[in-house]
């Protein structure tokens, strides 16, 4: 029996025969072919084993067997939070480092290295950039592409095993969509097979996690389009939608141009109080607040006008202010309770000087933004308007235009404040079937008629002039027509964008106007002016002949960005309370029935793998 046990050499020979066949019966070429097949099978088995090990390692636990598309937002948040909590404990790596030095911005990077040819890498240059990951494309363990964005501009990060450190290749599985990362590497350009020119990229040598995104981002494919959610979560809106960033960049350009325009003409920019004991300067319903230490009820300002004119009295002869105003009024497509306006006051100027300056300011503003004096604007119903902003603009006298529209002769302008005029205006409204909500004061009814018959026909910038004094308690009386005042409003596409007048500087007349407004207040007009004794007293120290002006910044931005809703041009517009507002329960989870992002389709979350 012992003679039947093969020696070690015989066992090896028999094993080889088993794999390759009986070598005594085959040719040498067949032996080589079989050896090659055996080697290929072994290599395939090794690759499969490596792939399974990598998948198991990436999942880092049984809770990560699901793909991101299989998880709802709370599940994703819980799993990613666990992952980051482990990093907090181990600091390998620290998920929230204090600092990362950025050597160049993405726009500068693109400009400096645009000359690099496809397939080339500039290894003599090293760059450090900070970017947010928007998408991940992985090709095995040795190659990965990160589509990133910073400052609204996209850039590709290439991570190759041959170019990167071992630590980077180990840590790349920690990186997810939405993470902020710091990249150290070399500029270069890929060499794709499908097109001639490759993508300018950073070939990463090292990647540092700067701040992980714990929430799952909406995908680029399905987007983040629900308007209500975009306004409530402007941070997500800005991450996903480049168009939103462009709106706010345009808004900044508008404000910079206005500020530069006035600075170049020796106007002094000032800041005035936002809380006042009396809400004056505009016909608007104010917000109330309370100061505990002073035990005093205060009003949020509706306009800075009265303070600015006091500064002109004091000798600041050219002043302007760009700031927030607060009006407790309806929320609609063109109104937000808080908004931004610009007001200026110009000593020794009148309404006609201000009219000319308005044309110059607005037309130059449009040209600086659009590159021409023409723009296109769409209403909510899709109506398209082509606007020509170049001066001179059309000018319409209010009362003659109304008389022509309604076919009746109005009372003399100096009688438009009387009860007889009130009866006349009510009769005209009834005859034309125009509704005016209470209180039906003379000023409100005239304004209703203007909106119906004049404003609705103003498409290109148009000056409406010749307002009755009853509508303008702070404007100086017309030098030629008793009962009218020197005032204009600018309307574009039926919306008011500016308002100006020769300022009333007679303290006796001003007090009488305030008393007339007090009567309207007593009738229930919450927008009528209160008597501001301090302002009246300032006029007794002599206000020089002055032209004053105000313009809504938000509405100009709406026209410059072709948006019909004011909410689109405000970073955080006021919204009605919503049952889906995110409510914290102390854990970071969104309670049942609440949603940080609409869950209309699980596909919204289906890009990328959580593992």
């Amino acid at each position: 029996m012992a003679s039947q046990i093969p020696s070690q050499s015989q066992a090896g020979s028999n094993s080889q025969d088993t794999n390759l066949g009986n070598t005594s019966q085959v040719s040498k070429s067949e032996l080589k072919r079989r050896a090659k097949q055996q080697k290929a099978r072994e290599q395939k088995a090794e690759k499969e084993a490596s792939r399974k090990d990598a998948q198991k390692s990436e999942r880092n636990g049984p809770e990560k067997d699901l793909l991101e598309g299989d998880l709802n937002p709370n599940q994703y948040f819980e799993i990613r939070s666990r992952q980051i909590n482990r990093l907090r404990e181990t600091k390998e790596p620290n998920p929230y480092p204090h600092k990362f030095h950025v050597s160049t911005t993405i726009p500068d990077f693109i400009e400096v290295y645009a000359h690099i040819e496809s397939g080339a890498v500039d290894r003599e240059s090293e760059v450090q950039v900070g970017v947010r990951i928007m998408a991940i494309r992985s090709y095995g363990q040795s190659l990965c592409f990160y589509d990133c964005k910073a400052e609204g501009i996209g850039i590709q990060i290439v991570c190759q095993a041959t170019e990167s450190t071992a630590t980077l290749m180990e840590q790349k599985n920690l990186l997810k969509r939405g993470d902020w990362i710091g990249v150290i590497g070399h500029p270069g350009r890929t060499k794709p097979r499908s097109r001639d020119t490759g993508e300018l990229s950073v070939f990463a040598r090292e990647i540092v996690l700067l701040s992980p995104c714990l929430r799952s981002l909406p995908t680029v494919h399905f987007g983040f389009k629900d308007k209500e959610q975009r306004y409530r979560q402007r941070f997500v809106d800005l991450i996903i939608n480049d168009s939103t960033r462009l709106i706010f960049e345009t808004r900044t350009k508008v404000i910079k141009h206005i500020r530069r325009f006035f600075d170049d003409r020796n106007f002094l920019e000032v800041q005035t109080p936002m809380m006042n004991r009396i809400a004056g300067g505009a016909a608007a319903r104010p917000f109330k607040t309370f100061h505990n230490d002073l035990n005093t009820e205060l009003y949020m300002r509706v306009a800075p006008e009265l303070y600015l004119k006091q500064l002109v009295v004091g000798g600041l002869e050219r002043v302007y202010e760009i700031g927030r105003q607060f009006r407790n009024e309806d929320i609609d497509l063109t109104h937000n309770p808080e908004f931004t306006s610009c007001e200026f006051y110009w000593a020794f100027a009148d309404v006609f000087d201000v009219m000319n300056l308005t044309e110059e300011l607005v037309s130059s503003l449009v040209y600086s933004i659009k590159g021409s004096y023409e723009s296109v604007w769409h209403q909510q119903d899709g109506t398209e308007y082509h606007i020509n902003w170049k001066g001179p603009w059309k000018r319409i006298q209010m009362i003659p235009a109304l008389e022509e529209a309604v076919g009746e002769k109005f009372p003399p302008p100096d009688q438009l404040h009387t009860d007889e005029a009130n009866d006349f205006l009510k009769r005209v409204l009834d005859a034309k079937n125009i509704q005016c909500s209470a209180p039906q004061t003379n000023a409100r009814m005239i304004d209703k008629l203007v909106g119906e018959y004049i404003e609705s026909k103003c498409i290109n910038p148009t000056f409406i002039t010749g307002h009755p004094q009853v509508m303008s308690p702070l404007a100086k009386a017309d030098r030629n027509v008793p009962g009218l005042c020197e005032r204009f409003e600018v309307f574009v596409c039926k919306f008011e964008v500016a308002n100006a007048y020769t300022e009333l500087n007679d303290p006796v007349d001003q007090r009488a106007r305030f008393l007339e407004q007090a009567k309207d207040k007593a009738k229930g007009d919450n927008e009528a002016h209160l008597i501001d004794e301090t302002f009246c007293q300032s006029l007794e120290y002599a206000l020089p002949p002055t032209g004053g002006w105000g313009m809504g910044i938000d509405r100009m931005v709406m026209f410059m960005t072709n948006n019909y809703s004011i909410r689109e041009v405000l970073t955080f517009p006021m919204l009605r309370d919503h049952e889906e507002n995110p409510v914290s329960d102390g854990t970071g989870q969104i309670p049942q029935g609440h949603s940080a992002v609409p869950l209309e389709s699980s596909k919204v979350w289906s890009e990328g793998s959580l593992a």
Side-chain angles (χ1 to χ4, degrees):
M1 293 292 294
S3 61
Q4 296 179 7
I5 300 176
S7 65
Q8 188 173 359
S9 60
Q10 288 176 324
S13 176
N14 290 341
S15 175
Q16 186 177 25
D17 288 347
T18 302
N19 291 329
L20 300 179
N22 189 346
T23 58
S24 62
Q25 298 179 5
V26 295
S27 65
K28 290 184 179 180
S29 59
E30 178 65 16
L31 286 174
K32 290 180 179 180
R33 186 185 68 79
R34 293 181 183 181
K36 188 175 182 180
Q37 288 179 340
Q38 178 65 19
K39 186 176 181 180
R41 284 194 293 269
E42 292 174 353
Q43 288 177 342
K44 184 177 180 180
E46 289 177 1
K47 287 182 179 180
E48 182 67 18
S50 299
R51 186 183 66 81
K52 292 181 179 180
D53 291 342
Q55 287 180 340
K56 184 176 180 180
S57 175
E58 287 174 3
R59 287 171 181 158
N60 199 18
E63 75 273 21
K64 296 195 175 181
D65 288 337
L66 293 174
L67 297 176
E68 183 177 351
D70 299 323
L71 303 175
N72 66 40
N74 280 339
Q75 289 173 328
Y76 183 95
F77 175 76
E78 180 181 354
I79 294 173
R80 188 83 210 275
S81 295
R82 284 201 207 118
Q83 183 186 54
I84 301 305
N85 283 337
R86 284 193 288 270
L87 297 183
R88 284 194 184 95
E89 296 170 359
T90 63
K91 303 295 183 182
E92 296 179 357
N94 178 8
Y96 298 98
H98 289 76
K99 169 74 175 177
F100 177 81
H101 175 68
V102 173
S103 63
T104 184
T105 64
I106 299 304
D108 289 344
F109 173 85
I110 293 174
E111 181 179 358
V112 172
Y113 298 106
H115 66 278
I116 296 180
E117 297 180 352
S118 296
V121 178
D122 184 359
R123 303 189 187 283
E124 299 298 321
S125 302
E126 183 177 89
V127 296
Q128 298 188 190
V129 296
V131 292
R132 183 192 288 274
I133 299 175
M134 299 303 298
I136 301 174
R137 292 173 287 122
S138 183
Y139 299 90
Q141 290 296 299
S142 59
L143 179 61
C144 186
F145 295 92
Y146 297 98
D147 294 331
C148 300
K149 188 164 64 174
E151 300 186 39
I153 300 176
I155 188 69
Q156 180 174 262
I157 308 299
V158 180
C159 181
Q160 300 180 97
T162 56
E163 301 285 341
S164 307
T165 64
T167 304
L168 168 57
M169 301 310 295
E170 293 173 3
Q171 293 182 352
K172 73 181 183 67
N173 295 322
L174 296 173
L175 305 180
K176 308 299 175 191
R177 296 175 59 245
D179 289 355
W180 279 101
I181 59 174
V183 181
I184 304 173
H186 305 290
R189 193 180 290 274
T190 58
K191 189 176 183 180
R193 298 176 182 175
S194 59
R195 60 182 188 273
D196 295 334
T197 305
E199 185 79 15
L200 185 61
S201 309
V202 177
F203 286 76
R205 182 173 57 79
E206 183 178 350
I207 294 181
V208 181
L209 177 62
L210 301 181
S211 184
C213 180
L214 303 183
R215 301 283 182 184
S216 179
L217 291 180
T219 66
V220 175
H221 176 71
F222 290 98
F224 191 53
K225 301 175 183 177
D226 183 271
K227 291 186 178 181
E228 185 80 5
Q229 291 297 334
R230 285 179 49 239
Y231 302 148
R232 294 185 185 278
Q233 295 188 306
R234 188 64 90 182
F235 42 90
V236 180
D237 184 23
L238 285 166
I239 292 172
I240 301 300
N241 299 314
D242 291 337
S243 58
T244 302
R245 180 189 182 95
L246 292 176
I247 290 173
F248 298 135
E249 288 178 347
T250 302
R251 182 187 180 93
T252 297
K253 292 177 183 177
V254 168
I255 294 175
K256 284 183 175 180
H257 180 90
I258 294 172
R259 181 171 279 120
R260 184 169 56 251
F261 182 90
F262 288 116
D263 289 345
D264 290 344
R265 287 157 180 78
N266 297 320
F267 280 78
L268 182 67
E269 184 175 11
V270 297
Q271 291 78 40
T272 59
M274 288 193 175
M275 294 184 292
N276 312 306
R277 286 184 169 84
I278 293 177
R285 187 174 183 177
F287 285 97
K288 293 181 180 180
T289 186
F290 189 83
H291 195 290
N292 293 328
D293 190 44
L294 296 177
N295 194 30
T296 301
E297 187 177 73
L298 299 173
Y299 296 94
M300 302 300 292
R301 75 176 181 191
V302 295
E305 177 172 344
L306 302 186
Y307 281 112
L308 293 174
K309 286 193 279 193
Q310 291 176 51
L311 295 177
V312 178
V313 170
L316 301 182
E317 297 168 4
R318 299 185 182 197
V319 295
Y320 76 97
E321 180 173 8
I322 299 174
R324 305 290 275 180
Q325 320 307 328
F326 307 87
R327 299 184 181 180
N328 198 352
E329 299 171 344
D330 294 339
I331 300 175
D332 57 32
L333 289 176
T334 60
H335 293 87
N336 193 69
E338 57 176 312
F339 61 96
T340 303
S341 72
C342 175
E343 292 199 15
F344 77 79
Y345 292 85
W346 179 13
F348 314 117
D350 64 9
V351 70
F352 303 105
D353 298 316
V354 175
M355 202 176 292
N356 294 332
L357 193 70
T358 301
E359 287 180 339
E360 184 182 356
L361 166 62
V362 176
S363 61
S364 66
L365 168 63
V366 173
Y367 193 87
S368 70
I369 300 296
K370 294 292 187 179
S372 74
Y373 293 109
E374 297 182 357
S375 67
V376 177
W377 186 73
H378 294 83
Q379 281 191 322
Q380 185 178 21
D381 61 6
T383 303
E384 182 176 275
Y385 294 103
H386 293 264
I387 310 169
N388 188 342
W389 299 84
K390 189 174 183 179
W393 298 345
K394 185 178 180 180
R395 304 183 182 191
I396 298 176
Q397 288 286 330
M398 179 183 292
I399 299 302
L402 287 179
E403 290 177 337
E404 182 180 353
V406 302
E408 293 199 42
K409 183 69 175 178
F410 273 56
D414 58 354
Q415 299 299 313
L416 286 174
H417 67 286
T418 63
D419 292 338
E420 291 77 9
N422 186 277
D423 295 336
F424 167 80
L425 293 168
K426 287 180 179 177
R427 180 169 57 81
V428 171
L429 289 175
D430 290 340
K432 298 298 180 180
N433 196 26
I434 299 174
Q435 301 297 321
C436 179
S437 59
Q440 292 185 335
T441 62
N442 294 19
R444 287 171 60 87
M445 287 190 286
I446 295 174
D447 187 62
K448 195 71 176 179
L449 289 170
V450 172
E452 184 71 23
Y453 293 111
I454 303 179
E455 296 173 6
S456 61
K457 295 178 174 58
C458 298
I459 305 303
N460 285 327
T462 304
F463 292 111
I464 299 177
T465 64
H467 294 64
Q469 287 184 4
V470 69
M471 299 178 69
S472 312
L474 298 173
K476 197 175 184 70
D478 190 285
R479 65 195 76 179
N480 297 317
V481 183
L484 298 184
C485 59
E486 295 193 351
R487 176 187 177 187
F488 72 76
E489 293 176 287
V490 176
F491 279 82
V492 182
C493 293
K494 310 175 186 181
F495 295 109
E496 178 190 352
V497 296
N499 182 30
Y501 30 81
T502 303
E503 299 296 335
L504 177 59
N505 60 347
D506 182 343
V508 175
D509 192 0
Q510 180 65 81
R511 190 178 298 276
R513 303 273 193 96
F514 277 151
L515 289 173
E516 193 70 30
Q517 287 281 300
K519 294 179 182 178
D520 288 343
K521 177 74 76 174
K523 293 179 183 178
D525 188 352
N526 292 320
E527 296 183 352
H529 289 255
L530 294 170
I531 300 175
D532 191 325
E533 292 292 349
T534 301
F535 175 68
C536 291
Q537 185 184 48
S538 73
L539 295 183
E540 295 169 356
Y541 285 84
L543 173 69
T546 300
W549 175 92
M551 182 176 76
I553 300 293
D554 307 309
R555 288 192 184 175
M556 279 304 304
V557 178
M558 289 168 62
F559 285 119
M560 294 299 95
T561 58
N562 191 17
N563 280 293
Y564 60 78
S565 173
I566 193 173
R567 294 181 179 184
E568 292 288 352
V569 303
L570 301 175
T571 50
F572 298 99
M574 179 68 70
L575 300 171
R576 289 179 173 84
D577 197 16
H578 197 282
E579 66 176 5
E580 291 188 353
N581 279 345
V583 179
S584 173
D585 60 2
T587 66
Q589 299 289 339
I590 303 172
Q592 189 70 28
H594 298 268
S595 174
V597 177
L599 302 179
E600 297 175 357
S601 170
S602 61
K603 293 181 180 179
V604 172
W605 309 91
S606 64
E607 179 169 309
S609 169
L610 184 63

